[in-house]
Amino acid sequence: MAVRRAQAGDAAALGEIHVRTWQSAYEHVFGAERLSRMSAARRTEQWRRWLAEGVDAWVFEDDDGSVVGFVWVGDSREAEGEGELFAIYVLPESWGSGAGRELMAVGRDALRAAYPTSILWVLEDNPRARRFYEREGWELDGGRKEDELLGTTVVEVRYRLTPS
């Protein structure tokens, strides 16, 4: 098992992980039918573009070399000079394997090395992810917003990571 920088050849795996994780983690929010319309092919194309642009992303490979998760960080979309954790996803069958903790450690280290503070946004109705973020040192900072995702209005809450 290893964490390494994401490469162009990882785009299909990242697209698949992105979609399958959403379909498992958010079924209670969006419904299975709406989530079934998500396209791994479309997400793969997005990942091809993002990787070509040089985004800061890392993947977790299991013992047989299969990519089972990723983390993506970079400049905050909200405040200049801050970082943001954009995504951290692990295939559902690898939940609890330690892949998420290892990916978070790499992402958190990258953020702390480059920014004095960083944020992430998560669905308010995602208790599993929120527990994970809190265990990993992220703290709610009071930020809240409504967003429209997959035709559904959702509430997101903001977490902040400060230097330790």
Side-chain angles (χ1 to χ4, degrees), residues 42-55:
R42 190 172 317 128
R43 192 57 75 169
T44 295
E45 286 308 310
Q46 288 177 316
W47 273 107
R48 280 196 179 103
R49 277 194 320 277
W50 293 333
L51 291 168
E53 294 168 1
V55 298

Side-chain angles (χ1 to χ4, degrees), residues 96-115:
S97 70
R101 280 190 314 277
E102 290 203 33
L103 287 164
M104 179 59 81
V106 170
R108 189 177 50 230
D109 288 350
L111 288 167
R112 283 186 168 148
Y115 308 99

Side-chain angles (χ1 to χ4, degrees), residues 12-164:
L14 297 175
E16 183 72 20
I17 292 164
H18 216 142
V19 169
R20 287 193 48 220
T21 302
W22 264 67
Q23 290 170 335
S24 291
Y26 302 131
E27 184 176 355
H28 71 286
V29 176
F30 300 107
E33 187 215 327
R34 192 171 277 143
L35 289 166
S36 72
R37 291 181 281 199
M38 291 182 72
S39 167
R42 190 172 317 128
R43 192 57 75 169
T44 295
E45 286 308 310
Q46 288 177 316
W47 273 107
R48 280 196 179 103
R49 277 194 320 277
W50 293 333
L51 291 168
E53 294 168 1
V55 298
D56 286 327
W58 292 264
V59 298
F60 185 92
E61 290 181 324
D62 65 11
D63 289 332
D64 71 3
S66 298
V67 174
V68 300
F70 69 88
V71 63
W72 170 25
V73 303
D75 293 338
S76 172
R77 295 170 284 186
E78 294 184 0
E80 191 170 327
E82 290 188 351
E84 185 166 350
L85 186 144
F86 299 113
I88 181 168
Y89 294 121
V90 174
L91 288 173
E93 59 268 23
S94 294
W95 290 352
S97 70
R101 280 190 314 277
E102 290 203 33
L103 287 164
M104 179 59 81
V106 170
R108 189 177 50 230
D109 288 350
L111 288 167
R112 283 186 168 148
Y115 308 99
T117 186
S118 297
I119 63 162
L120 68 79
W121 287 95
V122 62
L123 292 183
E124 184 175 53
D125 189 9
N126 190 346
R128 179 185 179 92
R130 293 181 63 184
R131 283 190 307 271
F132 173 73
Y133 296 138
E134 290 165 8
R135 275 195 316 268
E136 295 297 322
W138 294 82
E139 298 176 350
L140 275 173
D141 74 358
R144 255 175 101 74
K145 66 180 177 180
E146 282 192 5
D147 205 352
E148 177 100 8
L149 299 171
L150 300 178
T152 301
T153 300
V154 295
V155 174
E156 294 177 275
V157 293
R158 187 175 56 209
Y159 281 77
R160 187 166 297 278
L161 180 69
T162 54
S164 57

